[in-house]
Amino acid sequence: MDAVKLALVGAALLLLGGAAVVGGVLPAAEALAIAERVWPILLFVVAVTVVAELAAVAGVFDVVAGFLARLSRGRTVLLWLLVVALATVSTAFLSLDTTAVLLTPVVIAVARANALPALPFAFTTVWLANTASLFLPVSNLTNLLAEHRLGEIGPLGFLALMGPSAVVAVAVTVALLFVLHRRALTGRHVPAAAPRVADRTQLRVAAVVVALLLPLLVSGLPPWLPAVVAAAALTVFFAWRSPAVLDVRLVPWSLLVFASGLFLAVGALEALGSGAVLSAVAGAGETLVDLWRLAGTGMLAANLVDNLPAYLAFESTADSPTRLAALLIGVNAGPLITPWASLATLLWHQRLRAVGVEVPWRRYMLLGLLAAPLIVGLSVIPLALR
């Protein structure tokens, strides 16, 4: 689904939601409550996307990836592990979409510059974009929604709840990736030269802004606040230094329209009583089997429709922090099977095609059928041990 189709779907959902409000199915007060919940989340998405896009233009990701390539000293497995670390940090602090959209072409360029096959690095970014999105509220839009439901527990509280499962998800992902691509990831290579930077002042300013933003995102401040300040600072700087870079396409309009329509449409469905039906499917309780059932249901729903509507549909059935964490594991770490399970996956595939790398969807889905149940199943176990 490209940006235009995503926006069209969002517009249709907005119309349906609006009709539900006008028709009295969704009370206006509830629609306003949805808007109050959603606006900080969407504002953060816009701001962090602008920061990430401008940082990429300045060469921040290229320079960091180039540094890691030189740090590996020609050892392929070490270079790959450094890319794993970069993808994990990028996902945790700047969201899974940043990793899928901006880091993927950089990592592919690093692989090619060092005469290494692209596919192991491509799968690394897309799998970790999903499975490493369990660490922090800002890692995934679903996490920001869940944090609100958890009572604004803050980044540290969220990390305390999700951290052990996130570590397991990343560890299992890395182990599977290595087993599947071990032949390409062993041996040595000749390190490539450092990437050239056209404007070093631009690079330094963007790097400083990103470096300051990352700790502020886990400081306890509302995530949208430091993200908006960082986006404004970079926008002002680029308006002076490189005004041609600034474009309305920096803002993820299609995602905004889609998310807005989805929130309103799901609110209308809940008003019609969908929660009771879905509760029967997801079950109840906090035993390991109960949590596996909820996480598995979230994983299945995400791969059938998309992880965001899957989370929204089952959110009301996750009536405790532990159950909400299990749902997040299913809808965050589970969308590895179908192309549409996560918007990040579709964006990743578009970026790969743009740089001439083809990943057949059949191969992606077959590997996902192996990985997703294993990652989700093992990641739920720490919740049951709490």
Side-chain angles (χ1 to χ4, degrees):
M1 185 185 297
D2 60 24
V4 175
K5 292 179 181 178
L6 192 67
L8 290 175
V9 171
L13 292 174
L14 275 174
L15 289 174
L16 290 173
V21 174
V22 172
V25 173
L26 179 64
E30 291 187 19
L32 289 174
I34 291 172
E36 184 178 356
R37 179 188 181 189
V38 165
W39 76 258
I41 295 172
L42 296 184
L43 183 58
F44 167 77
V45 170
V46 170
V48 81
T49 300
V50 171
V51 170
E53 291 279 3
L54 293 179
V57 170
V60 172
F61 294 114
D62 296 281
V63 169
V64 172
F67 170 75
L68 297 182
R70 295 191 302 278
L71 190 64
S72 70
R73 297 183 180 276
R75 290 166 287 186
T76 303
V77 71
L78 180 55
L79 172 59
W80 176 70
L81 288 174
L82 291 170
V83 167
V84 165
L86 179 59
T88 301
V89 171
S90 170
T91 301
F93 286 93
L94 296 175
S95 86
L96 72 168
D97 292 334
T98 295
T99 299
V101 175
L102 301 178
L103 192 60
T104 293
V106 171
V107 168
I108 297 302
V110 168
R112 285 173 166 171
N114 290 277
L116 297 172
L119 281 185
F121 293 87
F123 270 94
T124 297
T125 57
V126 72
W127 277 13
L128 285 173
N130 288 285
T131 61
S133 70
L134 291 168
F135 280 103
L136 295 170
V138 298
S139 307
N140 200 321
L141 185 55
T142 54
N143 297 353
L144 290 169
L145 293 166
E147 185 193 24
H148 177 87
R149 190 173 179 85
L150 289 167
E152 306 295 348
I153 59 175
L156 295 181
F158 189 92
L159 183 61
L161 174 65
M162 298 299 304
S165 295
V167 170
V168 171
V170 169
V172 176
T173 301
V174 172
L176 285 172
L177 285 167
F178 181 76
V179 170
L180 292 170
H181 302 286
R182 59 189 179 278
R183 292 184 179 178
L185 295 175
T186 54
R188 299 184 67 88
H189 62 273
V190 179
R196 300 185 64 179
V197 178
D199 190 331
R200 292 196 171 274
T201 300
Q202 196 166 265
L203 170 65
R204 293 189 188 100
V205 171
V208 168
V209 170
V210 172
L212 292 175
L213 174 62
L214 297 189
L216 289 175
L217 291 176
V218 294
S219 66
L221 291 170
W224 64 266
L225 183 57
V228 166
V229 172
L234 282 181
T235 300
V236 171
F237 175 77
F238 273 82
W240 166 67
R241 193 82 177 182
S242 303
V245 170
L246 299 180
D247 190 288
V248 294
R249 287 173 293 183
L250 290 173
V251 177
W253 298 109
S254 58
L255 178 58
L256 288 180
V257 175
F258 175 72
S260 301
L262 189 59
F263 290 133
L264 197 58
V266 170
L269 287 174
E270 288 184 343
L272 289 171
S274 64
V277 176
L278 296 176
S279 293
V281 176
E286 295 186 1
T287 67
L288 179 58
V289 174
D290 294 329
L291 298 177
W292 270 337
R293 178 178 177 179
L294 178 56
T297 301
M299 178 185 71
L300 180 61
N303 282 287
L304 286 175
V305 291
D306 182 77
N307 67 329
L308 184 54
Y311 171 80
L312 291 171
F314 287 96
E315 184 185 53
S316 61
T317 71
D319 53 3
S320 72
T322 301
R323 284 184 59 79
L324 194 62
L327 177 59
L328 286 175
I329 291 171
V331 300
N332 285 13
L336 302 179
I337 302 173
T338 59
W340 56 82
S342 167
L343 177 62
T345 302
L346 294 172
L347 297 172
W348 165 82
H349 195 259
Q350 288 177 4
R351 291 301 170 106
L352 284 183
R353 295 189 68 180
V355 296
V357 176
E358 288 293 334
V359 178
W361 282 126
R362 181 180 179 183
R363 178 176 182 179
Y364 179 88
M365 294 173 72
L366 287 174
L367 293 177
L369 282 170
L370 166 69
L374 187 59
I375 294 169
V376 169
L378 292 176
S379 299
V380 168
I381 293 175
L383 295 178
L385 300 177
R386 283 171 55 87

